[in-house]
Amino acid sequence: MTGTRVPDGAGGPVAESVAGGAGRATAGGRADGAPAHGRVLRLLRGVAYAALPAGFVLFVCLLAGVRISGGVLLVGEVLVLGLPAAEGVVWVRLRRRGLSRRAVAAELVPGPVLRLVGHELRLMASLGRWVARRRHGVAGADGVFPHGRDQAALMYGFAFVCLVETVGMSYLLDEWPFVHAVFLVLDVYTVLFVLGLHAASVTRPHTLTGNVLRLRQAAHVDVSVPLDRIAAVRRELCFSHEKAEGELNLAVGSQTSVTIELTGPVDAPRLLGAPRPVRLIRLHADDPKALYEALTRARTAPSPSPGPLPTA
């Protein structure tokens, strides 16, 4: 089956994503099945947007001891069970139409939600890599430049404070088992989140591969900068970074040590996917001298010899 490729994060109806037999117009002027699927997707998203805040309100009411009628609880249970089932059916049908898993997920789940979930999964995966002492994205790299050392003490201290708060809340809420369990889960996840941020910085270093410099910070920044777009590189220690249009500050421990000026903008998407063109990047490396010298050598490397001139 031939069809138009669905870009990552696309949220349009299926009729715009799939061509061929499923998208051919029938005698009545409708694409066969496509408008129906588009309406189903819009309905599922509308129900999800309404169910999530409603479920939170219902949870708070139950937690506060408010009496909820059986009919309201029944509707809540139907939504909790029925919505995933309906999305599962749509998932199977879209997969049968030839869409990839990524494209189907983009149809069913809003892009910002997917990016948030992906961020959390990268943090948890970074914890595993940290324990196993394995780094991400360094295979085949010409240069690897760690950048997490100078924030280690701060992150460990923050994690310790969160751990103390977890123990204190567990003691204070011991007489309310349900509330105690909820806060225990949240507190433990907070500790893992903080450790995951540091683990992501340790296991996702900056890399130089061929003609591309890959800059990363924790699990939410991943920017590729072509070397031919770099206008200037300088070692520059900065401790204050004001937000400015077209600038990206990848501070570690509130400091950056290398500044890169670009000849043209490079896109550094925000956490939720919004584009952010930047022309100036400040970053930090554990060994800024090594990063500076590697970039200087890569940018000034001599061109390969064209070989002997042809003879008559």
Side-chain angles (χ1 to χ4, degrees):
M1 181 182 70
T2 60
T4 305
R5 182 179 177 272
V6 180
D8 292 346
V14 181
E16 297 175 0
S17 304
V18 181
R24 295 193 186 100
T26 62
R30 294 176 53 188
D32 185 17
H37 276 295
R39 287 195 296 269
V40 170
L41 289 174
R42 287 193 294 270
L43 176 61
L44 287 176
R45 287 187 177 181
V47 172
Y49 288 147
L52 289 177
F56 177 75
V57 172
L58 184 61
F59 171 77
V60 172
C61 290
L62 290 174
L63 197 62
V66 178
R67 297 188 61 181
I68 307 296
S69 66
V72 174
L73 292 176
L74 179 61
V75 171
E77 291 179 0
V78 169
L79 288 176
V80 169
L81 298 177
L83 187 60
E87 291 194 348
V89 172
V90 176
W91 174 283
V92 172
R93 291 186 177 181
L94 293 180
R95 287 287 291 157
R96 288 178 179 176
R97 284 175 173 267
L99 272 70
S100 65
R101 291 185 179 90
R102 183 183 292 271
V104 175
E107 291 286 349
L108 292 176
V109 184
V113 176
L114 280 178
R115 293 185 67 88
L116 285 175
V117 172
H119 177 261
E120 301 302 304
L121 292 177
R122 286 192 296 272
L123 287 182
M124 297 303 108
S126 296
L127 282 174
R129 290 180 178 274
W130 190 33
V131 173
R133 297 181 178 274
R134 297 178 56 189
R135 293 183 292 187
H136 175 271
V138 299
D142 301 321
V144 178
F145 310 99
H147 58 268
R149 181 187 61 195
D150 293 332
Q151 71 174 13
L154 175 65
M155 301 304 289
Y156 291 151
F158 192 24
F160 177 75
V161 171
C162 292
L163 184 62
V164 172
E165 189 265 348
T166 299
V167 175
M169 291 298 294
S170 296
Y171 176 77
L172 293 174
L173 299 175
D174 186 58
E175 297 181 1
W176 297 278
F178 180 75
V179 180
H180 173 270
V182 171
F183 275 88
L184 181 61
V185 171
L186 293 176
D187 289 337
V188 170
Y189 184 78
T190 300
V191 175
L192 292 177
F193 182 86
V194 173
L195 292 176
L197 288 175
H198 180 59
S201 295
V202 173
T203 60
R204 301 167 69 88
H206 307 311
T207 59
L208 179 61
T209 306
N211 294 320
V212 176
L213 174 65
R214 187 179 185 184
L215 305 176
R216 297 185 285 186
Q217 185 178 55
H220 62 283
V221 176
D222 194 336
V223 182
S224 295
V225 180
L227 295 185
D228 58 7
R229 199 167 294 186
I230 297 178
V233 181
R234 60 180 181 271
R235 293 177 59 187
E236 183 179 51
L237 189 60
C238 298
F239 290 94
S240 60
H241 306 87
E242 297 182 359
K243 291 185 178 180
E245 191 70 22
E247 296 184 3
L248 177 64
N249 297 308
L250 304 180
V252 175
S254 300
Q255 64 178 317
T256 57
S257 52
V258 177
T259 300
I260 300 176
E261 297 180 4
L262 306 177
T263 59
V266 171
D267 187 29
R270 302 179 189 275
L271 177 60
L272 297 183
R276 177 175 52 180
V278 297
R279 299 179 67 100
L280 179 70
I281 301 176
R282 298 185 183 92
L283 63 138
H284 182 68
D286 293 347
D287 188 351
K289 180 181 178 181
L291 175 57
Y292 172 80
E293 292 178 348
L295 285 177
T296 302
R297 287 194 303 269
R299 293 176 61 234
T300 59
S303 302
S305 173
L309 296 175
T311 58

